[in-house]
Amino acid sequence: MTNVLEYLERSARTSPDKPALIDPGGMCTYAQLLDRARRVGSGLTGRTAPRAPVVIWMEKSISALCACLGCVYAGCFYVYLSPDQPRSRAEQILNVAQAGVVITARDRMPEWQALGLDLQALAYEDLLAQQPDEGALAAVREQARDLDPLYCNFTSGSTGVPKGVVVSHRSVIDFMNYFPDLFRITGEDVLGGQAPLDFDVSVKDIYTTLKTGATLVLIPRRMFSVVTELLDYLCTHRVTTLIWAVSALCLVAQFRGFTYRVPESVNKVLFSGEQMPAKFLRQWQHYLPDAAYVNLYGPTEITCNCTYYRVDHPVEEGERLPIGRPFPNERVFLLDGEGQLVTAPGVQGELCVAGTALALGYWNAPEQTARAFVPDPLNPHYPETIYRTGDLACYREDGLLCFAGRKDFQIKHMGHRIELEEVEAAVNRRPGVERCCCVYDSQRSRITAFYVGGADPRELKKGLYEVLPAYMIPGAFRRLEALPMTANGKLDRRQLLEQAGRKV
């Protein structure tokens, strides 16, 4: 197998009338999805070259996914760009992508044109009106390779400019060789797609669905602000499988959603992106005790995930889950500051990954690529590339990996090295705290703890002296109605750091 479109084509042959995609606006069968993607691909051929980026500027929807797969039929790769992106960030992404074509909905064309951006804009509806060009599509597929780019997801860059992570067909195929089978996802499942289409969690939703012949229910972002509507939606569509960001699961528990309704059809809950607070996972386990729970770990640069841990027990209050063991065909290991292998339990090292699942690199950013995708220092015999994640981890006595924080979240304060995640974990265990995030203001040499919950700041600080040394106690506590999130559903630490610097 060399092209992810083979998943779609096989499922369309075996289950043409089965729902492939559902959104609040309707449903699309496998036969319809195949037809629409081929029409879009036919309309794109001749307008752009193979292996070139095509921007999809559309709301998360069935149409947006048809457009993405249409790009692949044209031999291109898709760069999904949400219309909700701030203009300044959209311009940064487009400047890096250097795409020549954008696909958008006809009714949003005036809005796109008002941005004044120099790209050829094509209306999705016009492309859909094309008849499939069998000759052009066959010619594209004939010259395609498994290492051709499939998509490019933009993540935050340390320089302030977003980085475009380019992932090939081969990497997704390698990951999909194992992912659905490991977690028993089959054609009988209904996946609830929480992730934005520019977030790599959506890759698991999309290609697991296409490979297994399952059904993907796209969940609008607004539903995560109205938990009752979200739970009704999950129940209506009998969703069985959630592959969600931790923050999304936390919102359901935080807003006491299960006291309204329990989505009893859910039997698999896979989560990633951040440390899962035990207090919220305990709620999920209480209301859905028979569901399988899996903690996934991995950055965008290694195609979704590289380790997993099955939560096979009721978690205890304050428990921190390991990130577990490597996926098949991925080598995950730790290096110390001198590039030496770390194997001893309890000793921290930088988590590194090797294998087919590695991304191709960063689009139009050779220097950044060279810094992160480096030769394996443990292999002097032939060239082998590894990805240095920038995450710290250590082994437990049983050999399972435990996340220990970001290298850039490790601070030096009052002469001591401190992991901010350790401070957060201590605050999260205090009564009256629902969720906490800590940031370090290096200008003021102060740790600030932002939290949601009813705890009194003075009592909270006093209680922390029972579990933390004085140098790890935050210098300021700020109570918020909700912690800010990035578009990908992760805690927005940059915004909190800005707030920490403001006078109150």
Side-chain angles (χ1 to χ4, degrees):
M1 181 174 179
T2 60
N3 193 300
V4 297
L5 294 173
E6 295 174 49
Y7 295 143
L8 170 58
E9 290 159 356
R10 183 175 60 210
S11 292
R13 282 195 306 271
T14 58
S15 307
D17 299 323
K18 182 177 180 180
L21 305 175
I22 295 172
D23 68 13
M27 180 271 288
C28 175
T29 67
Y30 272 99
Q32 290 170 329
L33 178 56
L34 177 63
D35 178 62
R36 293 175 193 180
R38 285 166 57 82
R39 287 170 179 266
V40 172
S42 298
L44 279 175
T45 55
R47 286 186 165 101
T48 185
R51 304 179 188 89
V54 173
V55 174
I56 310 297
W57 195 71
M58 302 173 72
E59 299 286 351
K60 176 183 172 182
S61 61
I62 291 173
S63 296
L65 276 180
C66 291
C68 289
L69 294 171
C71 293
V72 185
Y73 265 107
C76 304
F77 65 95
Y78 56 91
V79 180
Y80 178 78
L81 183 61
S82 171
D84 295 333
Q85 286 272 15
R87 174 175 176 145
S88 58
R89 191 170 194 272
E91 288 177 338
Q92 285 182 319
I93 289 173
L94 292 169
N95 186 56
V96 174
Q98 294 292 297
V101 174
V102 60
I103 300 175
T104 189
R106 184 183 292 130
D107 62 358
R108 301 203 75 146
M109 191 69 78
E111 188 180 345
W112 171 264
Q113 292 169 342
L115 295 176
L117 301 171
D118 187 23
L119 277 83
Q120 180 188 5
L122 303 175
Y124 169 74
E125 293 83 355
D126 293 341
L127 293 171
L128 203 60
Q130 302 281 327
Q131 289 299 315
D133 186 332
E134 303 295 341
L137 295 176
V140 167
R141 187 70 71 88
E142 188 176 344
Q143 55 81 50
R145 299 170 299 164
D146 64 350
L147 285 176
D148 287 345
L150 172 61
Y151 64 85
C152 180
N153 282 344
F154 278 82
T155 65
S156 296
S158 58
T159 62
V161 177
K163 296 183 297 186
V165 182
V166 189
V167 175
S168 71
H169 287 253
R170 172 48 53 198
S171 292
V172 171
I173 291 167
D174 177 73
F175 185 71
M176 283 297 146
N177 280 342
Y178 309 104
F179 182 80
D181 291 342
L182 271 175
F183 307 116
R184 299 183 176 90
I185 304 173
T186 71
E188 301 300 312
D189 280 303
V190 179
L191 284 69
Q194 168 263 327
L197 299 183
D198 57 355
F199 188 27
D200 66 353
V201 175
S202 71
V203 173
K204 290 176 280 190
D205 289 332
I206 296 165
Y207 295 103
T208 297
T209 297
L210 298 183
K211 180 181 180 182
T212 63
T215 298
L216 174 58
V217 177
L218 298 171
I219 305 173
R221 185 178 179 185
R222 61 175 173 78
M223 287 189 180
F224 289 90
S225 300
V226 187
V227 173
T228 53
E229 186 179 355
L230 171 64
L231 291 169
D232 285 340
Y233 194 63
L234 295 179
C235 293
T236 296
H237 293 293
R238 303 287 299 164
V239 168
T240 66
T241 306
L242 307 180
I243 308 172
W244 283 12
V246 163
S247 295
L249 294 174
C250 289
L251 283 171
V252 175
Q254 187 176 328
F255 291 120
R256 312 291 189 265
F258 294 128
T259 61
Y260 166 72
R261 193 172 185 183
V262 178
E264 295 178 350
S265 57
V266 171
N267 55 38
K268 291 177 281 292
V269 181
L270 290 72
F271 48 88
S272 60
E274 296 170 280
Q275 185 72 227
M276 181 70 187
K279 66 178 72 177
F280 294 140
L281 182 53
R282 281 164 61 88
Q283 276 197 51
W284 279 87
Q285 289 183 317
H286 174 75
Y287 286 100
L288 291 168
D290 297 325
Y293 295 89
V294 183
N295 185 27
L296 300 169
Y297 163 83
T300 303
E301 287 86 346
I302 55 81
T303 312
C304 303
N305 302 119
C306 57
T307 70
Y308 68 98
Y309 173 72
R310 301 181 197 274
V311 186
D312 57 1
H313 62 280
V315 296
E316 299 178 3
E317 197 66 50
E319 181 179 346
R320 299 191 75 185
L321 300 175
I323 57 174
R325 63 184 76 255
F327 273 86
N329 204 36
E330 297 193 46
R331 182 163 64 95
V332 180
F333 56 101
L334 306 180
L335 293 178
D336 65 17
E338 283 71 50
Q340 299 299 306
L341 188 66
V342 174
T343 58
V347 179
Q348 288 187 10
E350 182 179 5
L351 198 147
C352 302
V353 186
T356 306
L358 260 61
L360 296 172
Y362 300 118
W363 184 250
N364 285 334
E367 293 180 0
Q368 287 180 311
T369 299
R371 284 196 295 270
F373 296 84
V374 301
D376 183 357
L378 304 178
N379 184 357
H381 309 294
Y382 59 88
E384 183 179 11
T385 299
I386 66 171
Y387 174 69
R388 303 193 69 137
T389 67
D391 289 338
L392 300 172
C394 62
Y395 291 102
R396 291 197 321 194
E397 291 290 342
D398 59 6
L400 295 180
L401 280 162
C402 293
F403 182 76
R406 285 286 301 167
K407 287 175 70 176
D408 46 5
F409 290 169
Q410 187 182 74
I411 63 170
K412 191 159 188 180
H413 179 57
M414 298 174 64
H416 299 272
R417 291 206 173 276
I418 299 170
E419 299 289 349
L420 289 178
E421 277 95 343
E422 184 178 353
V423 182
E424 290 171 358
V427 178
N428 277 323
R429 286 193 291 266
R430 304 307 301 170
V433 175
E434 294 185 7
R435 199 169 187 204
C436 166
C437 181
C438 294
V439 297
Y440 184 63
D441 184 346
S442 58
Q443 298 296 318
R444 299 186 183 186
S445 298
R446 185 174 71 177
I447 301 172
T448 299
F450 293 90
Y451 69 98
V452 175
D456 178 78
R458 287 167 296 185
E459 291 299 316
L460 184 52
K461 185 172 185 176
K462 181 179 176 182
L464 286 176
Y465 280 101
E466 301 171 11
V467 293
L468 291 177
Y471 64 83
M472 292 180 69
I473 304 294
F477 292 82
R478 295 195 188 175
R479 185 164 46 201
L480 301 176
E481 289 298 316
L483 294 175
M485 300 291 169
T486 66
N488 290 344
K490 295 186 179 182
L491 290 170
D492 193 336
R493 296 177 184 271
R494 183 172 296 182
Q495 186 180 142
L496 290 177
L497 188 56
E498 291 174 359
Q499 291 188 39
R502 298 173 194 156
K503 293 182 179 180
V504 294

